[in-house]
């Protein structure tokens, strides 16, 4: 392995590093492009709990769309609680306002006994559609998100994977 590293010419090493940077920047640009197209800061999310079973299982990958501002009762939305950065996937069970006044929503997990008022920020009784909602679910792929869950539950796994990717980039020959 060390002989392979030593045999790389500086130009080859630089080319491989630039190729790796190109892959990372392309992924970032695709993510940002998807964010703009869907009008959502996070157009793809992973279900982290069982609160929406049987509709969605833990590890399902959800695709979001935030262009339509007229959210209906029964629609599944993803929202962030003010002051926290964990997206929550739940169903709209009640609407307030709309038209000239801001649209406010009350949500609940399909597998939960009570609505989400306990999950909202202190003093918040509902979600404001224009401020709190990340997007509405328009599609999903079952269980694909388990990779993300594993990486977040086992931080050492991120380091191992990044190290392996780095070694593969350096050792790759064209």
């Amino acid at each position: 392995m060390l002989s392979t590293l030593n045999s790389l010419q500086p130009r080859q090493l630089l080319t491989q590093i630039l190729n790796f940077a190109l892959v990372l920047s392309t992924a970032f640009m695709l993510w940002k492009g998807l964010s703009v197209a869907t009008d959502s800061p996070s157009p793809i999310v992973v279900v982290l709990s069982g609160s929406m079973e049987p509709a969605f299982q833990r590890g399902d990958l959800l695709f979001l769309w935030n262009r339509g501002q007229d959210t209906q009762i029964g629609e599944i939305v993803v929202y962030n609680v003010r002051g926290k950065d964990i997206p929550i996937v739940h169903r709209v069970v009640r609407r307030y306002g709309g038209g000239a006044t801001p649209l406010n929503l009350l949500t609940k997990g399909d597998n939960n006994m009570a609505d989400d008022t306990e999950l909202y920020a202190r003093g918040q009784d509902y979600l404001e559609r224009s401020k709190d909602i990340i997007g509405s679910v328009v599609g999903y792929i079952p269980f694909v998100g388990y990779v993300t869950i594993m990486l977040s539950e086992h931080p050492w796994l991120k380091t191992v994977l990044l190290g392996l990717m780095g070694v593969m980039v350096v050792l790759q020959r064209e």
Side-chain angles (χ1 to χ4, degrees), residues 93-164:
V93 293
R94 184 175 256 168
R95 291 171 40 123
Y96 304 99
T101 61
L103 179 59
N104 299 314
L105 308 169
L106 180 65
T107 56
K108 177 186 172 295
D110 288 358
N111 203 20
N112 294 349
M113 297 299 284
D115 62 38
D116 291 348
T117 51
E118 294 296 320
L119 297 176
Y120 300 159
R122 185 180 304 254
Q124 185 180 10
D125 295 324
Y126 51 81
L127 300 172
E128 195 170 322
R129 174 66 177 96
S130 59
K131 291 181 181 176
D132 300 316
I133 303 296
I134 298 172
S136 297
V137 177
V138 293
Y140 76 103
I141 302 175
F143 305 115
V144 174
Y146 261 111
V147 174
T148 303
I149 292 173
M150 293 301 292
L151 290 174
S152 62
E153 288 180 354
H154 306 288
W156 59 269
L157 203 53
K158 285 182 195 174
T159 307
V160 169
L161 284 176
L162 286 173
L164 285 172

Side-chain angles (χ1 to χ4, degrees), residues 56-74:
F56 299 118
Q57 307 295 317
R58 188 170 190 252
D60 288 354
L61 191 71
L62 306 179
F63 299 98
L64 307 181
W65 185 259
N66 200 29
R67 292 272 176 206
Q69 296 295 318
D70 190 32
T71 305
Q72 300 299 318
I73 292 175

